[in-house]
Amino acid sequence: MTIDLDAYLRRIGFAGPRAATLDALRELILRHTETIPFENLNPLLGWPVPLDLPALEQKLVEGRRGGYCFEQNRLFQAALEALGFRVTALAARVLWNATEDAITPRSHMLLRVDLGDEPYIVDVGFGGQVLTGPLRLELGTEQPTPHEPFRLLQREDDILMQSRIGESWKTTYRFDLKPQYPVDFEVYNYYLSTHPRSHFRTGLMVARSVPGRRYTLRNRQFAVHRLGGPTERHTLENAQGLRRTLERDFLLAVPDTPELEAAFERLT
């Protein structure tokens, strides 16, 4: 089963050459992260999160919604493969706000893209700290992206992904290079989208990156993070404000359902 590549490229506004090149990869990542936001409305509202390609196209492309890592990176993988890229799915243990030696579940999906003999790490699904450019699979080197610099470090048998925020390096996750398959992510996805203690069921998380800024929404707290500048924070007071913010700042086609207002009332 293949992706409707024309529809996907229209969705992200990509009009460059359809070739498996580094320049194309950079632009595809940037366009995707600017137009398809990270969001978890489906699990928050108690709706299923299917990962089959037709469902992802219906939601993220035709429905102008977003999604979390499994949805984002699975769709992006299909688009890259349709363009002739060699792509391998990988899994990671998220360490955001945890110690580097913490053993967390393999609950995150990322991609390895091989361009000739040069491997790159690609990830369009890590929320407010998403990679907006590819990283060479090269350890210990600070690498620029359109937003923060990132680096990869060896830790035992794993690789740490880190971003530089201000003057400090912050670890986002750890991963290895063992290939993963769609059935592997089905298990992780089922837990994250259905378990009553999953953070995707109990809180709202939305993010989008634009030139020079990152927008994030955590429950009722909306923030605009400016690269090299101050962060603006606002508290959303009602469901109408939530809907307006989702549509205006995150470019979301918000579901027209009373469940959204009920969910907002549960947020703190």
Side-chain angles (χ1 to χ4, degrees), residues 52-171:
D52 59 283
L53 188 54
L56 294 177
E57 290 182 281
Q58 176 62 43
K59 182 187 177 195
L60 279 70
V61 178
E62 298 173 32
R64 306 193 72 79
R65 288 278 308 281
Y68 54 30
C69 67
F70 304 128
E71 300 170 279
Q72 298 269 5
N73 281 315
R74 176 68 189 96
L75 180 70
F76 198 61
Q77 178 182 6
L80 291 181
E81 289 173 342
L83 288 165
F85 288 92
R86 289 189 294 133
V87 187
T88 304
L90 306 175
R93 303 181 189 276
V94 176
L95 297 177
W96 190 255
N97 295 327
T99 61
E100 291 181 3
D101 59 352
I103 304 301
T104 60
R106 292 178 180 271
S107 61
H108 182 65
M109 177 184 182
L110 65 153
L111 304 172
R112 169 177 171 162
V113 178
D114 288 280
L115 292 172
D117 295 330
E118 188 77 41
Y120 289 83
I121 296 300
V122 170
D123 184 356
V124 296
F126 199 74
Q129 208 59 32
V130 68
L131 276 173
T132 54
L135 293 187
R136 297 185 310 279
L137 186 50
E138 180 178 297
L139 300 176
T141 302
E142 179 176 327
Q143 301 184 47
T145 75
H147 289 77
E148 299 84 2
F150 282 74
R151 69 181 181 184
L152 302 170
L153 298 179
Q154 189 78 47
R155 282 293 183 274
E156 300 175 344
D157 295 329
D158 288 342
I159 298 170
L160 293 183
M161 172 75 73
Q162 294 187 330
S163 62
R164 186 160 62 95
I165 301 176
E167 299 303 316
S168 300
W169 287 97
K170 189 170 177 66
T171 299

Side-chain angles (χ1 to χ4, degrees), residues 177-215:
L177 301 178
K178 184 176 181 179
Q180 305 290 305
Y181 302 96
V183 67
D184 299 317
F185 299 118
E186 290 285 350
V187 176
Y188 313 142
N189 179 62
Y190 181 76
Y191 174 86
L192 291 175
S193 63
T194 65
H195 197 282
R197 289 198 298 273
S198 166
H199 56 282
F200 287 124
R201 289 291 312 278
T202 58
L204 176 62
M205 286 163 278
V206 192
R208 185 170 77 92
S209 298
V210 299
R213 301 189 303 282
R214 293 187 186 268
Y215 298 128

Side-chain angles (χ1 to χ4, degrees), residues 4-16 18 28 79 83:
D4 183 342
L5 187 60
D6 290 341
Y8 170 77
L9 296 179
R10 283 195 303 270
R11 169 75 166 100
I12 67 170
F14 178 87
R18 299 188 181 191
L28 287 161
L83 288 165

